[in-house]
Amino acid sequence: MNGDSNVSPNSSISRARTNGDGDGAAGEQFLLQVVKALGVIHDPRSSNESRTQASLELEAAKSFREAPYHGYSLGSDQAQPPVIRHFGLSLLEHAIRHQWNDYSDEQSAALRNMVVQLAPQVNARDPPYLRNKTAQLWVEVAERSWAGEWMDMDELLMNLWTGTMVQKEFVLLVLETLSEEIFNREDPLANLRGPTLSKACVDIFTPVAVLAEHFPSREKHNNVRSGDEGWLARLSEFLSWCTVNDYQGNEQIRICALQCLAALRAALCWAIPKAIAAANCVMHIIKSLAASQVTIQMAAIEALHALYSRSHFHDDEFLALICPMYEAGTVALLSRLYEWSIVDVSDIDESRYLLSKKLSEMVSNLANLIEQKPQLIPEGSDLPSFLQLLLGILRSQSLVVSIPILNTWTLLLLSDTIGDSDAVSPMIGSLLETCSQRLLRYEALPEDSVDPTFLFLNEDIDTIPERHAFLGNYRRYCVQVVETIVKRMPFDAMYHILGQVDQMLGTLYEGQLPFQAQMYTKNSIPVLRVDAHFTVVDAALKGYVKWVSAHGSSPQQDEQQRNAMETNLEAWCQHLLGLKFEDPLLRRNIIKLLVEFSTKALTNRPDFALKVLQHILLTKTTDIPTFPAYSEAVRELQTTCGHELQRLGLRFADYFVSFFGQLQSDINQIISEGAIDDRQRLSLISFLFIITHRATIFDGQLQISRLETSLAPIKESWQTPELARSLTSFSCFCDLLDMSRIQTYLASRRVHEVEDWSSYPLDVEGQVIQAELTGRFEQLPLRPTKIFLGQSTDKLKKNSKPYQIACSLWHDAIPIILPNLLQFISHAHAFHNPATWTKLPKELQAITSRVLTDRFWQAGISTGSKDEFYAKVSGTKSTLEGFASSIRGTIRLVRETCYSILFCMSRLDEHFYGFKELPGPLAHALFADSHALSSHQMSVLLNMVRYLIEDCPPRLRRHFLPPVMATMFIQMDNKVGSEWEKILRRNQSSSEGDDLTNEMKDESILRQLTYTSVNTVAGFLSPSRPAVTHTDFDSTSDGSNSPSETSDTMREFILSSPTILEPLILFCTHALGMRDSRCCGLITRVLSSIIPEFAGNTPIASEIREFISTEVLKACITSLHEPYFVDLQKDLAQLIATIFRLYSPKTDTPRQILLSLPGITEERVEQMAGKFAQASNQRQQRGLILELLEGLRGVSISEQGRIKRDVKKERSAMQDRYMEADEPVKYDGRESPDLGGVAGMFGA
């Protein structure tokens, strides 16, 4: 013992009684009141008011000076009901957690002794929660005094270990919790005493011989251990004892076996590998896998999973701890266990299914380790059987079981040693077949599908966003597997894959109804099958191209084989060209795949590319508007044809330009037939432009002449007097688009009195206006400018000849276009401001937001599927809702086309950024009415502006960026902040009849805007962002470069520009309180990265430092107080610690802010500051801040005991990683506990 075990439980704390509470009668009265209050709380007949009052009394009781003594009395009284004993232990817990630092050494020793004396009293009659609470108290005390004032803890645990099975269980629980708190969790106390506690933990778990070998110079004094073997060896031996004894018939032995495995799991994450090997832990755990009880099997798998989740092992450790798992007996055991764990989707045994998932994760980790050191695996290992086990798990009908192994295969196949091994070669066909099957878009299957994989998916993943994210990850891994296999064995794999596609296409419509346009659906089984197999082919092409690239372009041994391959690929594509399908989406997929082959695998065969080009030009489609789904598919095919034309033109410009006359004639013929719309016409004309612009074999003067001829109509359209007049005012802009007539029409139809616009059919006048609205946009010069400007700059290297030609072509046009373009943007933004709708009567003003609110389908929020949503949109085209959609759609086209033009102009560097008068008008046009945009529209604007800022040549930043960036941050702050205020006000006043779907949509879109805003700031201020040389950007009109010179980074530029910096930091301060954990966490890291920049003595640094020390620090503490941000307390505390560490030597403000908080005394701050100065790392500094603000920290709902975890749906960290998705947060309207009031926290 350490000497303090002789201190009486009532010696110090019990003597510290006030005169009013000190006598026995008062103590008895206290106990009676506690018992009475607990009775009220647990009596089902009690009213809510009486329960609330009783709860308040019990909370108050925890603060009494004698509470620990009474807690010990109640907790140790075996005659009391368990509920009362548990509350007694809670009194002790409160004293340990909240008053420990206020006690003297003698009082702390007495409190510790109370806990020590409670431990031997645990018995089998105590309910588990009582035994667990006692163990938790032991750990709470250990965190505060073990290896300091308390040196004999291990001896005390050893004494208990020799006792009953219940006492053994208690020791196991203490050991598990100690490991978790010290090594695996973010515990403030463990942070503060981290080095001491972790050293002590290593000491007591590790065999003394291993400890001496591992730390030969370790100091021997202050020994905390008892015995030489260490707890790892004791736990292994005890587990072995449990497995050979009757754990099935003896419940206590079974519980101890489970707890022993839990303690091992917690320790294997950090224990010295040599100690694990010396204790023979792995073999003892493997024996537990053979147990006939699924709970023990699961605990054993979790322990192994913890060990094999570690990332690095030395060679001897690899041989001792990992290689035994590849032995034939172990692999056979794992295989039998997996086969037993397989469940049928129609009758899922939850425990076995959970075992299957966890086994897959453990085996995945184990297989990943093969890739690290394959040369160390002994010859006697049964690696073929182990790989066969991987293949078996991969084929599981449950994708959640399958995905860890699929991810593993992506790694194993990259290894030359494993990927080329004889054990893997026989599995290649099965791998390709499985990946082909799993690339089916399961989310597109009908809800009544009986596909087992689809049913498992719905069982495992509740929300549609997570399902989409998960399937996206699964498909990505499948593509990687296919790509890697083809790169490794291109000929066999490619022929196998193309053979599968031929077989699929030959049986595509077997068992399906003949094609009917009126019954068309985008997600028919034939379309889904083609999509899956073509995705495999696309992945195979990527692998083939990588193989070709790795072998170079010069002739070599396999040149003949490669030429044969290309000939075969061309023949296969020719066959594909000859297939005839009526389904527009099948035709679209074929065209995309053919262009993919042309531009990647068959780049040396331009004659085939010409055939594909001719096929696209001859692809004719007949739109049938009366069948909306079919009509939409036709439009998708048309759009794809235009896009693929551009891809071919970019890749084969030199070849196509030699046929320019014939192509021009063919295109003119197609246009003259009048069977295509304006968008298709522009695609065809721009194709001729792009091959002329990108060709390198052209006569220079002829090339420029043709290009200027193509652009002349565009330049002229921007200079017409009619366009200039139409943009002089907002009302003229409305007349340009016929919007004034629309306002009159809406007023005349009294649309504000129509509740359901989608059921209100348009009359003839409305249909005419709707048709003319689309026509008005097509008459504007916006779309042609966007297309030709985009093609002039797309995928060009700076200073290349085509880039120089583009600069020359557009140099004179940009100053012509810009003034009117900015007017377009200003008016398009102003259109969203209800104040500009002057022709509407007051009673109709409210409908403006309804007209301008975009309809969204959002995964997991919107009712119905995505296709159902689009079908509904198409079906309401001839209604009042469709009319409103045409209005906002036209304005959206104007707005976003202007954004695209601006972005393309920015690619021309100084030809855009060099205009001295541009920054102010540009900032005004972009942001003057941006507050009226929706959250989604604001996100689009910010993304575009971010590119404008990033592309600015460094030497022009100080001229161009300040007005734009300062205005952007101000408006971004105003918009995001005001939208969050609306959300919070609405949540506080929400009622049962509210439209939760729309509220969730609004909140989800706002989260996207918030993330866009925060991510923009983080990108600008990233310390890892490299500086840019002037030659990366700057070029003169003649193509010559300015001298190479490294510029400031964007971060350095912003931090040295007060005009930009001030609104940016103000936004960051407000972002700390926005109810989005991802964004708040990101902004804490951004602020932490820039705080050191203002520790200097410049006037700007001083001003910013004071703001951060005041407002940012207040915002951090406020969010730390909010239960919503409980998961971010680590990040917030780190930010507070950074401010205190760097700024306290310069200013007293951080200290004064802390002193203004309720319950924070000068003494506590001084104590913290003293320890802070001695803290050796960020973890300890963070722990000191959390300790100081303990009483002000928010508490999560789960901590308050208000919700229960659904064990069935509980997921592992690995599963979470595979299905990352944001879920809308629901608020219950409850406020955090009153701790003096957040609003008054920073009072005098």
Side-chain angles (χ1 to χ4, degrees):
M1 292 294 187
N2 196 40
D4 56 17
S5 301
N6 296 322
V7 181
S8 171
N10 59 3
S11 61
S12 297
I13 297 179
S14 61
R15 289 201 301 269
R17 303 178 181 178
T18 62
N19 292 333
D21 292 332
D23 54 53
E28 290 178 8
Q29 182 65 25
F30 173 88
L31 295 177
L32 288 174
Q33 289 175 347
V34 166
V35 172
K36 180 180 177 182
L38 287 169
V40 170
I41 289 174
H42 293 282
D43 188 343
R45 295 167 297 180
S46 299
S47 65
N48 289 335
E49 292 79 6
S50 59
R51 280 200 183 94
T52 300
Q53 183 59 38
S55 296
L56 291 174
E57 291 177 3
L58 291 176
E59 282 299 312
K62 293 179 180 179
S63 301
F64 290 172
R65 294 183 66 185
E66 290 201 337
Y69 168 74
H70 294 308
Y72 174 78
S73 299
L74 289 173
S76 60
D77 188 352
Q78 300 284 339
Q80 294 286 358
V83 170
I84 292 177
R85 292 178 62 198
H86 186 271
F87 179 75
L89 299 181
S90 298
L91 293 176
L92 282 171
E93 180 183 42
H94 185 272
I96 296 169
R97 284 190 171 184
H98 301 288
Q99 298 171 344
W100 184 272
N101 290 335
D102 298 329
Y103 291 145
S104 66
D105 291 344
E106 186 183 5
Q107 290 172 323
S108 299
L111 189 55
R112 179 169 63 248
N113 194 60
M114 289 181 186
V115 174
V116 169
Q117 292 198 15
L118 284 170
Q121 299 178 31
V122 297
N123 58 72
R125 296 186 304 275
D126 293 337
Y129 67 83
L130 204 59
R131 302 201 295 265
N132 293 347
K133 189 73 167 182
T134 306
Q136 183 60 44
L137 290 179
W138 184 291
V139 174
E140 293 282 356
V141 172
E143 286 183 314
R144 288 159 176 82
S145 61
W146 180 38
E149 300 83 13
W150 190 14
M151 297 297 294
D152 65 343
M153 188 195 78
D154 198 37
E155 181 182 345
L156 296 173
L157 290 176
M158 281 292 294
N159 292 339
L160 291 169
W161 186 248
T162 60
T164 65
M165 293 298 290
V166 174
Q167 289 173 335
K168 281 184 168 62
E169 178 197 351
F170 174 87
V171 173
L172 293 168
L173 186 56
V174 167
L175 294 172
E176 178 200 4
T177 310
L178 270 176
S179 286
E180 291 287 357
E181 297 293 341
I182 295 172
F183 293 98
N184 303 334
R185 293 178 186 157
E186 184 66 26
D187 183 85
L189 263 175
N191 288 349
L192 291 177
R193 304 189 67 236
T196 300
L197 292 174
S198 58
K199 179 177 181 296
C201 234
V202 170
D203 280 352
I204 68 170
F205 272 84
T206 308
V208 69
V210 175
L211 205 60
E213 179 185 353
H214 209 74
F215 302 107
S217 60
R218 194 164 190 155
E219 297 178 1
K220 300 292 176 64
H221 67 279
N222 294 334
N223 188 17
V224 295
R225 66 181 297 135
S226 177
D228 292 343
E229 64 272 36
W231 281 107
L232 280 175
R234 294 186 197 112
L235 295 178
S236 293
E237 291 169 4
F238 181 66
L239 179 61
S240 179
W241 180 86
C242 289
T243 55
V244 299
N245 281 276
D246 187 17
Y247 60 82
Q248 296 186 43
N250 189 317
E251 178 68 9
Q252 191 57 56
I253 294 179
R254 188 185 69 84
I255 291 173
C256 282
L258 287 172
Q259 191 58 61
C260 183
L261 285 165
L264 281 169
R265 173 193 55 76
L268 293 178
C269 295
W270 57 265
I272 299 172
K274 286 186 178 180
I276 300 172
N280 210 15
C281 294
V282 171
M283 296 313 299
H284 288 302
I285 296 172
I286 289 174
K287 291 178 182 177
S288 300
L289 288 174
S292 58
Q293 290 210 348
V294 68
T295 53
I296 290 182
Q297 292 170 331
M298 175 64 79
I301 290 172
E302 288 180 338
L304 293 173
H305 182 269
L307 174 61
Y308 300 130
S309 294
R310 296 173 68 160
S311 58
H312 180 71
F313 294 89
H314 293 297
D315 289 358
D316 56 339
E317 298 164 355
F318 188 91
L319 287 168
L321 300 178
I322 298 168
C323 289
M325 298 299 292
Y326 306 135
E327 294 175 359
T330 306
V331 173
L333 176 60
L334 291 174
S335 300
R336 289 195 302 271
L337 188 59
Y338 171 68
E339 291 295 331
W340 177 83
S341 73
I342 296 173
V343 296
D344 190 292
V345 71
S346 61
D347 183 24
I348 296 178
D349 182 319
E350 288 298 336
S351 58
R352 284 169 57 192
Y353 188 38
L354 191 60
L355 178 70
S356 194
K357 294 176 185 177
K358 183 58 71 173
L359 179 61
S360 172
E361 292 183 11
M362 188 275 287
V363 171
S364 171
N365 286 345
L366 187 59
N368 292 343
L369 292 168
I370 296 178
E371 190 263 338
Q372 288 186 12
K373 300 175 186 288
Q375 72 281 2
L376 292 181
I377 299 176
E379 290 185 5
S381 301
D382 193 0
L383 227 103
S385 295
F386 183 77
L387 293 173
Q388 198 64 44
L389 170 62
L390 295 184
L391 184 61
I393 301 177
L394 174 68
R395 288 168 158 175
S396 169
Q397 291 181 331
S398 166
L399 299 186
V400 172
V401 172
S402 170
I403 194 170
I405 303 301
L406 177 61
N407 191 8
T408 292
W409 275 112
T410 65
L411 301 175
L412 294 179
L413 290 170
L414 288 172
S415 167
D416 292 336
T417 305
I418 302 166
D420 292 333
S421 68
D422 294 337
V424 169
S425 296
M427 302 179 183
I428 294 300
S430 297
L431 287 170
L432 289 173
E433 182 181 352
T434 302
C435 289
S436 298
Q437 294 170 350
R438 298 292 168 79
L439 280 167
L440 185 74
R441 288 189 292 118
Y442 290 99
E443 67 272 30
L445 292 176
E447 288 298 321
D448 59 355
S449 172
V450 294
D451 185 288
T453 297
F454 175 80
L455 296 176
F456 269 119
L457 196 63
N458 289 343
E459 170 70 21
D460 288 321
I461 309 175
D462 292 330
T463 69
I464 295 177
E466 288 184 325
R467 203 174 301 160
H468 285 190
F470 174 83
L471 288 171
N473 287 325
Y474 199 98
R475 276 193 286 269
R476 178 164 55 88
Y477 295 141
C478 284
V479 165
Q480 288 177 12
V481 167
V482 173
E483 184 179 326
T484 306
I485 289 174
V486 173
K487 182 185 176 185
R488 190 168 289 283
M489 45 185 70
F491 307 111
D492 293 341
M494 183 65 84
Y495 292 141
H496 178 86
I497 290 168
L498 296 182
Q500 284 186 318
V501 176
D502 287 336
Q503 184 179 359
M504 178 272 301
L505 291 173
T507 60
L508 187 58
Y509 279 98
E510 285 186 4
Q512 304 291 322
L513 294 173
F515 180 83
Q516 294 177 310
Q518 64 269 30
M519 303 293 292
Y520 187 77
T521 173
K522 292 175 63 176
N523 292 322
S524 65
I525 295 300
V527 169
L528 292 178
R529 289 180 63 196
V530 167
D531 176 76
H533 279 81
F534 279 18
T535 302
V536 175
V537 176
D538 186 61
L541 271 176
K542 291 177 182 176
Y544 177 76
V545 170
K546 287 184 178 179
W547 176 81
V548 171
S549 175
H551 286 73
S553 57
S554 57
Q556 49 193 288
Q557 293 182 0
D558 57 0
E559 185 67 21
Q560 184 177 358
Q561 198 173 12
R562 185 169 4 136
N563 285 330
M565 164 70 88
E566 290 185 1
T567 300
N568 290 333
L569 290 179
E570 184 178 356
W572 188 84
C573 289
Q574 292 276 17
H575 170 69
L576 203 58
L577 270 173
L579 296 178
K580 305 295 181 184
F581 292 105
E582 295 181 77
D583 192 320
L585 293 187
L586 292 182
R587 297 169 70 185
R588 180 201 66 176
N589 288 345
I590 288 173
I591 288 173
K592 288 176 67 176
L593 188 61
L594 288 171
V595 173
E596 199 74 11
F597 269 101
S598 295
T599 57
K600 290 185 177 179
L602 301 175
T603 55
N604 297 323
R605 305 193 177 215
D607 52 330
F608 174 73
L610 184 61
K611 294 177 183 178
V612 176
L613 171 63
Q614 292 169 337
H615 175 78
I616 295 174
L617 293 176
L618 295 175
T619 296
K620 296 182 179 179
T621 53
T622 303
D623 193 1
I624 310 178
T626 51
F627 304 142
Y630 178 79
S631 179
E632 178 67 25
V634 168
R635 287 194 294 273
E636 287 188 34
L637 172 58
Q638 294 169 349
T639 301
T640 297
C641 286
H643 177 69
E644 299 305 322
L645 276 178
Q646 313 312 317
R647 290 184 63 200
L648 285 173
L650 287 171
R651 187 66 184 82
F652 298 101
D654 281 339
Y655 184 74
F656 290 161
V657 83
S658 61
F659 301 93
F660 185 86
Q662 182 61 48
L663 290 173
Q664 186 179 42
S665 175
D666 292 343
I667 287 173
N668 288 337
Q669 176 66 29
I670 294 171
I671 293 173
S672 66
E673 291 173 356
I676 60 175
D677 60 21
D678 191 61
R679 288 185 303 112
Q680 293 171 280
R681 182 185 64 82
L682 277 174
S683 292
L684 293 174
I685 295 174
S686 63
F687 168 75
L688 295 175
F689 175 86
I690 202 168
I691 63 173
T692 304
H693 179 227
R694 301 302 174 95
T696 61
I697 60 174
F698 232 125
D699 173 76
Q701 192 57 43
L702 177 61
Q703 183 180 29
I704 297 297
S705 174
R706 284 184 179 176
L707 293 173
E708 288 180 342
T709 301
S710 299
L711 294 184
I714 295 176
K715 295 179 182 179
E716 291 171 6
S717 65
W718 283 97
Q719 300 179 77
T720 62
E722 293 80 10
L723 181 65
R725 284 194 299 271
S726 298
L727 296 173
T728 54
S729 67
F730 180 75
S731 60
C732 292
F733 171 77
C734 289
D735 292 337
L736 176 66
L737 295 176
D738 211 16
M739 291 295 179
S740 300
R741 184 180 172 193
I742 287 171
Q743 294 184 46
T744 304
Y745 176 80
L746 292 174
S748 67
R749 299 308 187 269
R750 302 187 65 78
V751 296
H752 62 291
E753 297 176 358
V754 179
E755 184 174 345
D756 184 6
W757 286 6
S758 62
S759 62
Y760 188 91
L762 275 182
D763 54 24
V764 176
E765 182 182 358
Q767 293 178 21
V768 171
I769 295 173
Q770 187 181 43
E772 290 181 354
L773 187 61
T774 303
R776 290 291 183 101
F777 174 79
E778 297 299 342
Q779 294 171 12
L780 300 177
L782 294 175
R783 194 196 298 275
T785 307
K786 169 192 169 183
I787 290 174
F788 281 86
L789 188 55
Q791 291 180 351
S792 299
T793 57
D794 185 37
K795 298 179 182 177
L796 282 181
K797 294 181 179 180
K798 302 291 176 71
N799 301 322
S800 65
K801 183 180 177 182
Y803 179 79
Q804 294 170 11
I805 292 174
C807 290
S808 175
L809 286 172
W810 290 97
H811 177 76
D812 295 332
I814 289 178
I816 296 171
I817 296 171
L818 268 176
N820 286 336
L821 183 69
L822 297 186
Q823 288 298 319
F824 268 119
I825 295 173
S826 294
H827 297 322
H829 286 183
F831 196 84
H832 291 269
N833 190 342
T836 61
W837 287 54
T838 55
K839 293 191 177 182
L840 282 180
K842 288 187 178 180
E843 63 269 18
L844 268 77
Q845 290 289 328
I847 68 143
T848 57
S849 62
R850 187 173 176 184
V851 170
L852 296 173
T853 300
D854 292 315
R855 287 183 288 181
F856 283 97
W857 181 86
Q858 287 182 275
I861 299 176
S862 300
T863 56
S865 67
K866 192 174 187 178
D867 291 328
E868 289 171 343
F869 168 78
Y870 285 119
K872 182 179 178 182
V873 171
S874 299
T876 58
K877 184 176 181 179
S878 299
T879 67
L880 194 56
E881 182 59 52
F883 187 73
S885 180
S886 297
I887 297 170
R888 58 179 170 263
T890 300
I891 294 299
R892 182 172 61 249
L893 276 174
V894 171
R895 190 178 63 246
E896 296 185 2
T897 304
C898 290
Y899 294 168
S900 296
I901 293 172
L902 272 180
F903 168 72
C904 293
M905 285 182 174
S906 73
R907 305 302 297 162
L908 298 175
D909 292 351
E910 65 181 16
H911 301 278
F912 171 74
Y913 292 101
F915 292 105
K916 294 182 179 180
E917 301 82 8
L918 179 58
L922 177 62
H924 182 271
L926 292 173
F927 295 108
D929 283 297
S930 62
H931 64 277
L933 299 176
S934 70
S935 294
H936 172 70
Q937 293 158 359
M938 187 70 170
S939 293
V940 175
L941 172 61
L942 291 179
N943 278 324
M944 186 277 296
V945 176
R946 177 168 60 88
Y947 288 123
L948 289 186
I949 292 169
E950 290 175 343
D951 286 345
C952 180
R955 68 182 182 84
L956 296 175
R957 282 176 181 165
R958 297 214 173 268
H959 152 68
F960 187 87
L961 293 184
V964 176
M965 295 186 74
T967 309
M968 180 187 72
F969 288 129
I970 291 170
Q971 295 303 321
M972 192 167 77
D973 189 20
N974 292 338
K975 179 65 179 179
V976 179
S978 63
E979 292 297 324
W980 274 113
E981 288 176 7
K982 290 179 189 177
I983 291 287
L984 295 176
R985 281 198 304 270
R986 187 176 65 193
N987 288 336
Q988 291 169 0
S989 60
S990 61
S991 59
E992 190 173 339
D994 291 346
D995 187 350
L996 292 180
T997 299
N998 283 332
E999 290 181 9
M1000 291 170 69
K1001 285 182 185 177
D1002 291 343
E1003 187 171 319
S1004 176
I1005 296 168
L1006 177 55
R1007 290 184 186 281
Q1008 294 170 20
L1009 170 60
T1010 307
Y1011 182 71
T1012 298
S1013 304
V1014 168
N1015 203 39
T1016 298
V1017 173
F1020 290 154
L1021 294 178
S1022 173
S1024 60
R1025 187 172 185 155
V1028 186
T1029 60
H1030 290 301
T1031 51
D1032 289 334
F1033 285 91
D1034 299 337
S1035 60
T1036 60
S1037 58
D1038 65 358
S1040 61
N1041 299 322
S1042 58
S1044 180
E1045 176 185 341
T1046 301
S1047 72
D1048 290 343
T1049 64
M1050 181 64 75
R1051 172 189 172 93
E1052 291 167 339
F1053 167 71
I1054 292 173
L1055 295 180
S1056 64
S1057 305
T1059 307
I1060 302 172
L1061 184 60
E1062 290 175 10
L1064 183 151
I1065 291 184
L1066 187 62
F1067 167 75
C1068 292
T1069 304
H1070 295 155
L1072 287 170
M1074 294 171 186
R1075 296 297 185 94
D1076 188 287
S1077 298
R1078 177 175 62 166
C1079 295
C1080 182
L1082 181 55
I1083 216 68
T1084 59
R1085 294 189 287 277
V1086 169
L1087 285 168
S1088 293
S1089 77
I1090 67 172
I1091 283 174
E1093 305 290 340
F1094 307 106
N1097 297 319
T1098 65
I1100 294 177
S1102 177
E1103 183 179 348
I1104 298 295
R1105 184 166 60 239
E1106 285 300 316
F1107 181 87
I1108 292 175
S1109 298
T1110 307
E1111 301 305 324
V1112 174
L1113 185 54
K1114 286 181 180 180
C1116 285
I1117 296 170
T1118 301
S1119 293
L1120 194 71
H1121 170 77
E1122 289 287 335
Y1124 177 84
F1125 295 108
V1126 68
D1127 292 332
L1128 288 173
Q1129 289 182 357
K1130 168 186 171 182
D1131 300 301
L1132 291 164
Q1134 189 60 61
L1135 180 54
I1136 295 171
T1138 302
I1139 294 172
F1140 188 85
R1141 174 172 59 86
L1142 294 175
Y1143 290 174
S1144 289
K1146 299 283 186 179
T1147 173
D1148 197 44
T1149 305
R1151 184 174 174 277
Q1152 293 302 321
I1153 294 296
L1154 292 174
L1155 286 173
S1156 70
L1157 299 171
I1160 303 297
T1161 63
E1162 187 167 358
E1163 181 184 3
R1164 291 184 62 191
V1165 173
E1166 290 302 323
Q1167 287 178 351
M1168 185 275 292
K1171 295 177 182 177
F1172 200 93
Q1174 303 298 320
S1176 59
N1177 54 53
Q1178 289 186 347
R1179 186 178 180 185
Q1180 290 179 326
Q1181 293 170 354
R1182 184 168 66 238
L1184 286 165
I1185 293 296
L1186 289 172
E1187 183 185 40
L1188 176 69
L1189 301 178
E1190 176 66 31
L1192 300 174
R1193 291 165 55 198
V1195 180
S1196 67
I1197 294 174
S1198 57
E1199 271 189 271
Q1200 297 170 21
R1202 298 179 184 174
I1203 61 173
K1204 282 179 135 185
R1205 291 188 304 176
D1206 184 352
V1207 176
K1208 172 185 170 184
K1209 296 295 182 183
E1210 187 176 352
R1211 296 196 301 244
S1212 68
M1214 185 180 286
Q1215 289 171 0
D1216 279 332
R1217 193 167 69 247
Y1218 290 133
M1219 54 188 79
E1220 291 177 354
D1222 290 332
E1223 295 183 25
V1225 175
K1226 300 176 182 177
Y1227 301 102
D1228 58 9
R1230 290 192 292 265
E1231 297 181 354
S1232 58
D1234 184 9
L1235 301 173
V1238 177
M1241 269 185 163
F1242 312 105

